Amino acid sequence: MRVVLRALAVCVGLTAPGGVVAVAQEADSLQAPSEALRVFMDCRSRYCDFDFFRREITFVNYVRDREVAQVHILITTRRTGGGGDEFTIEFIGLEEFETLGDTLFYFSSDTDTEDEVRTGLTHMIGLGLIRYAARTAEAERIQVQYELPTAMAAAEMQVPHDPWNFWIFRVRVGGNYRAEQRQESFSANTSISANRTTLDWKIRTGFSGFYADDRFEFSDGTRTQSFAREYGGWFFIARSLGQHWSAGGVTEARVSTFRNQDFTWNLGPAVEWNFFPYDQSTWRELTFTYFIGINYWDYEEVTIFDKLEEWRPSQSLEVSYTTKQPFGTINFRVEGSNFIDDPALHRLDVGGFLNIRLVRGLQLNLNGSFSRIKDQIFLAREGATDEEVLLRRRELGTDFRIRFGVSISYTFGSIFNNVVNPRFD
């Protein structure tokens, strides 16, 4: 799909020596004339290289506040089945362009470099801006060039045969070693995954592992050693049932010293309903997800309930709402779970974040979560040692967990944001 979109972009090709489209100016030192289109970039992806955008698309004036812009570009992303990203580029007209809006899409591949992704994304942004710039006084200074596709490019536009049948495989191995005179630490991690996504099916399966070993010498000459290990595998499958419903199932097996588990396993079905159609998920979702399953634990040490192993049925319900709008992003999530045979053993999680532009130049950022925890059946009866507490090698018993963060920012001064100067970055 990415190849098709890139080829289409070439066919309407905005190709100029300095980038997608160009006017006669040096991007690092001069800004576009004051009559040029004023654009506010609102991009929420790690590929949003604003310096690159400013260097390559030089026929507009970039402003740092939506209130003074003529076009607001809102870019959101979501993962595709091939492991790449789908970029939704929404052009929101303001002032005299209030009735002129558009939405374009760009698809990247899992094998693309960051430069390839940002180049393709920049090209698509430039295509969308032309319809606005054509209505400004700067239109006569913009040159649009059409490049006929070669025979090879035309062949690439054909949908290729996929010998992997939509399967994507990933293998990762890593480690870290650090030593000083009185302390030494080593860690290693690995993961293997196989994923397949089509319009009808989503499959996720894999294995991951982690090991850490730390050694310390105290001031009295005594030594201590602490290690942790966690590894396990999972399999998840889901079936699309129209624009609002999905159904699936999951199974997982894991070993974790952090949670006193020699072996744990769970299996069960799940169903999800989205109030909005799934094709709107890049900018709004309201989902209700229900899971019911059976769980088995084999513990390393006797638990606070005098168990070395046990079976329990469980269930959970999660409600999640996310919207990405020109004014900012709102996310709110509530999840409740319990053991069906003993509802008193339960957990409630409430959390979310809020990024809002309050007025011109003023932005509020809030994030937080609260958990009521009554389901830690895996806690060891003997408790954790001082070393395990300090090194966080064991999960500790608690009735609640709270996290909260807040920031507010106010920016004032020049509205223009065109100049690129990377010195001492």
Side-chain angles (χ1 to χ4, degrees), residues 80-131:
T80 66
D85 291 285
E86 176 195 82
F87 295 84
T88 300
I89 311 167
E90 187 175 358
F91 298 85
I92 304 169
L94 303 171
E95 296 185 356
E96 68 267 37
F97 301 117
E98 187 174 1
T99 60
L100 189 62
D102 199 2
T103 302
L104 298 179
F105 298 90
Y106 173 72
F107 294 86
S108 69
S109 169
D110 189 38
T111 58
D112 286 347
T113 64
E114 288 198 18
D115 181 66
E116 288 176 321
V117 175
R118 71 176 185 175
T119 298
L121 180 60
T122 303
H123 189 82
M124 197 61 67
I125 293 171
L127 288 174
L129 284 172
I130 285 298
R131 67 183 305 189

Side-chain angles (χ1 to χ4, degrees), residues 34 89 114 133 242 246 285 297 349 363 376 401 412 422:
S34 58
I89 311 167
E114 288 198 18
S246 299
E285 279 188 310
W297 291 272
D349 298 302
Q363 178 163 308
Q376 293 176 297
R401 186 173 294 130
F412 55 94

Side-chain angles (χ1 to χ4, degrees), residues 331 351-355 364-370 403-407:
N331 170 267
F353 62 86
L354 176 68
N355 307 123
L364 175 67
N365 304 295
L366 300 170
N367 66 83
S369 65
F370 171 80
R403 179 181 59 84
F404 181 72
V406 59
S407 67

Side-chain angles (χ1 to χ4, degrees), residues 219-395:
S219 58
D220 61 0
T222 59
R223 296 174 178 268
T224 186
Q225 179 180 5
S226 177
F227 75 94
R229 71 177 188 276
E230 182 167 333
Y231 54 87
W234 64 91
F235 178 81
F236 167 80
I237 186 170
R239 177 73 162 87
S240 300
L241 303 175
Q243 278 288 353
H244 296 273
W245 286 94
S246 299
V250 63
T251 183
E252 180 180 15
R254 189 162 296 276
V255 172
S256 174
T257 56
F258 185 71
R259 292 195 165 190
N260 185 33
Q261 296 167 350
D262 255 346
F263 179 75
T264 180
W265 172 79
N266 64 70
L267 170 69
V271 62
E272 180 179 88
W273 180 71
N274 192 348
F275 178 81
F276 303 106
Y278 279 107
D279 57 15
Q280 298 180 14
S281 62
T282 57
W283 61 283
R284 62 176 183 176
E285 279 188 310
L286 175 57
T287 57
F288 298 77
T289 306
Y290 178 74
F291 171 82
I292 185 170
I294 186 70
N295 306 268
Y296 169 74
W297 291 272
D298 180 14
Y299 300 110
E300 286 185 320
E301 302 176 22
V302 176
T303 70
I304 55 177
F305 292 97
D306 295 321
K307 301 284 187 180
L308 269 177
E309 66 172 348
E310 61 181 318
W311 291 85
R312 285 183 182 270
S314 66
Q315 62 180 346
S316 67
L317 174 65
E318 179 184 80
V319 181
S320 177
Y321 175 72
T322 302
T323 180
K324 301 175 182 178
Q325 300 290 343
F327 58 78
T329 301
I330 298 174
N331 170 267
F332 181 74
R333 179 183 64 86
V334 179
E335 180 179 7
S337 62
N338 67 4
F339 293 111
I340 297 175
D341 61 327
D342 189 352
L345 298 172
H346 65 274
R347 179 184 293 245
L348 177 66
D349 298 302
V350 181
F353 62 86
L354 176 68
N355 307 123
I356 297 292
R357 296 185 190 90
L358 300 177
V359 295
R360 179 173 173 177
L362 184 64
Q363 178 163 308
L364 175 67
N365 304 295
L366 300 170
N367 66 83
S369 65
F370 171 80
S371 299
R372 174 182 168 85
I373 302 170
K374 296 291 184 179
D375 63 351
Q376 293 176 297
I377 62 174
F378 51 80
L379 295 175
R381 185 173 60 189
E382 298 300 323
T385 65
D386 291 341
E387 290 83 0
E388 290 173 335
V389 172
L390 291 173
L391 296 173
R392 300 187 178 183
R393 292 298 195 223
R394 291 276 190 173
E395 182 168 330

